[in-house]
Amino acid sequence: MNLKMNIHSSIKFLVLFLAFSCLSVQLEAQLRVGFYCNSCPSAERIVSEEVTKEFMNDKGIAPGLVRMHFHDCFVRGCDGSVLIDSTSANTAEKDSPANNPSLRGFEVIDNIKTRLEAECKGVVSCADILAFAARDSVAITRGQRYDVPSGRRDGRVSLASEVLQNVPGFTFNVTQLTQSFTNKNLTQEEMVTLSGAHTIGRSHCTSFNNRLFNFSGTNGPDPTLDSKYAGQLQQQCPQGSTNSSLVVPMDPRSPFISDVNYYQDVLANKGLFTSDQTLLTDSNTANEVNQNARNQFLWMRKFAAAMVNMGQIEVLTGANNIGHADCTSFSKRLYAQDPSMNSAFAAQMQQ
């Protein structure tokens, strides 16, 4: 009952928040808060309603949408290309091993897109839908609400081969993580801050089982992993299991609440991934972990700001692209060599 009341209170607050956000604020890269206030004033409300509806049925949707926005932005920028379907001629981002089968929430974006097309056809981009949905997912899990600058255009190219080259992996060490974020003009502090997204959601056992059995030929678990926690994970993820559906919560204490338990777990050597526990191997990142673990409001403010910055990675705006046509159907035409599409234009868009 309390959870439902909190969610409904959050919805009412968010409606007021969205109304105030229509006071347009110009930001970098030609994105601005309130971009759709004239062209599609109900856009952000519709996104919020659909995210809330799905969250009531499946709380795992919220972390899924946050992760989808992250994976979209780190490959070719925040352009919605993670939503594009594969074709016989091209394997798209969503079918990269880093995304399939772990990435979830596509049906939510489809539902939002359907409603928005009925409300204001061809206006709201898929990339902006992802950014709004991620923001609402943070808010509904009790994280800090923040304004989302919008006006992104949709990308038309989606290549599975580019995902592993750009998205930081679960086995990365702190140097690799820092470089991955630096490549996207994000700071090391923002890397540590955004790692806190692991406070919500779940992970497939295949993403961390290398730490549980015969780690680096030791015939035992990763020595940096708390032994009791390692034992629990070994029971949940049996050695040699081929069940790809086995999952565990990334933050067992509060898997559906955006809080600083994640950082407290890292300090207790209970970070689920190598990329989590490695944050203690560098004095600067370890200091950030300690600060965040002690001050939830500080981390929430930093997380909101980092999400805004991440949402501006290599965005396409204004005349940089060809409009807000549905990204999935466009991609199918592009790579299937639709005879109705000019061949020279198609070749240009595939670059």
Side-chain angles (χ1 to χ4, degrees):
M1 177 64 71
N2 288 337
L3 178 59
K4 289 185 177 179
M5 291 177 64
N6 286 335
I7 291 173
H8 289 308
S9 297
S10 296
I11 295 170
K12 291 179 181 178
F13 190 95
L14 186 56
V15 170
L16 292 174
F17 175 81
L18 295 177
F20 283 116
S21 73
C22 283
L23 300 174
S24 180
V25 179
Q26 189 74 38
L27 292 182
E28 295 179 5
Q30 301 176 32
L31 300 183
R32 68 179 187 272
V33 174
F35 183 85
Y36 296 108
C37 283
N38 293 321
S39 59
C40 190
S42 59
E44 295 191 47
R45 173 181 59 78
I46 287 173
V47 175
S48 177
E49 289 175 353
E50 289 298 316
V51 170
T52 300
K53 181 176 71 176
E54 293 298 329
F55 182 78
M56 296 295 287
N57 295 326
D58 178 6
K59 293 178 176 57
I61 283 297
L65 291 171
V66 172
R67 184 166 180 255
M68 189 185 297
H69 182 43
F70 178 87
H71 280 225
D72 179 47
C73 290
F74 265 66
V75 183
R76 291 184 174 265
C78 309
D79 65 349
S81 57
V82 73
L83 302 170
I84 298 177
D85 287 337
S86 296
T87 68
S88 58
N90 177 67
T91 303
E93 293 171 31
K94 64 163 57 175
D95 289 318
S96 161
N99 293 333
N100 188 0
S102 60
L103 214 59
R104 58 193 307 225
F106 292 105
E107 71 284 358
V108 182
I109 303 301
D110 289 341
N111 293 340
I112 293 170
K113 183 67 173 175
T114 298
R115 283 190 62 185
L116 287 174
E117 286 300 287
E119 182 80 11
C120 35
K121 186 175 178 60
V123 174
V124 184
S125 68
C126 299
D128 279 340
I129 291 173
L130 276 179
F132 293 145
R135 182 269 309 277
D136 295 338
S137 295
V138 171
I140 207 168
T141 55
R142 307 186 197 177
Q144 179 166 310
R145 295 172 180 82
Y146 54 91
D147 285 322
V148 172
S150 50
R152 299 165 186 79
R153 297 281 180 136
D154 289 329
R156 308 306 182 196
V157 178
S158 184
L159 304 173
S161 59
E162 295 183 342
V163 176
L164 294 179
Q165 300 171 15
N166 290 279
V167 175
F170 294 126
T171 61
F172 275 21
N173 61 36
V174 71
T175 300
Q176 292 170 312
L177 287 171
T178 300
Q179 186 60 55
S180 180
F181 278 69
T182 298
N183 292 343
K184 306 302 176 183
N185 292 320
L186 296 172
T187 66
Q188 185 182 70
E189 180 180 357
E190 287 174 317
M191 179 270 288
V192 178
T193 299
L194 290 171
S195 293
H198 290 172
T199 183
I200 54 175
R202 62 188 190 180
S203 171
H204 287 76
C205 292
T206 52
S207 297
F208 60 85
N209 60 8
N210 67 302
R211 302 186 69 200
L212 303 182
F213 306 99
N214 195 30
F215 179 76
S216 298
T218 61
N219 293 319
D222 184 342
T224 66
L225 188 62
D226 176 80
S227 58
K228 184 176 180 180
Y229 185 45
Q232 294 173 353
L233 292 174
Q234 288 171 341
Q235 292 181 359
Q236 295 171 293
C237 303
Q239 186 174 19
S241 173
T242 58
N243 185 353
S244 60
S245 65
L246 287 177
V247 295
V248 301
M250 292 186 288
D251 175 2
R253 289 185 288 167
S254 53
F256 306 118
I257 300 175
S258 290
D259 56 26
V260 295
N261 282 348
Y262 162 79
Y263 295 103
Q264 294 170 2
D265 286 343
V266 170
L267 290 174
N269 293 323
K270 295 180 180 180
L272 188 61
F273 309 117
T274 298
S275 59
D276 295 324
Q277 207 57 53
T278 193
L279 298 180
L280 295 185
T281 64
D282 176 271
S283 60
N284 292 325
T285 57
N287 182 55
E288 291 293 331
V289 170
N290 273 281
Q291 286 185 11
N292 292 337
R294 293 194 303 266
N295 192 331
Q296 175 152 313
F297 295 106
L298 171 65
W299 170 72
M300 289 170 67
R301 289 195 300 270
K302 292 196 301 183
F303 187 80
M307 287 291 287
V308 171
N309 286 343
M310 186 192 75
Q312 297 187 71
I313 296 175
E314 300 169 23
V315 293
L316 302 170
T317 59
N320 289 339
N321 216 318
I322 60 174
H324 297 312
D326 179 75
C327 26
T328 300
S329 63
F330 186 97
S331 177
K332 287 179 177 177
R333 290 181 64 207
L334 194 62
Y335 287 99
Q337 297 182 333
D338 186 333
S340 69
M341 181 177 286
N342 179 277
S343 59
F345 174 70
Q348 179 184 2
M349 288 297 100
Q350 291 174 12
Q351 298 301 314

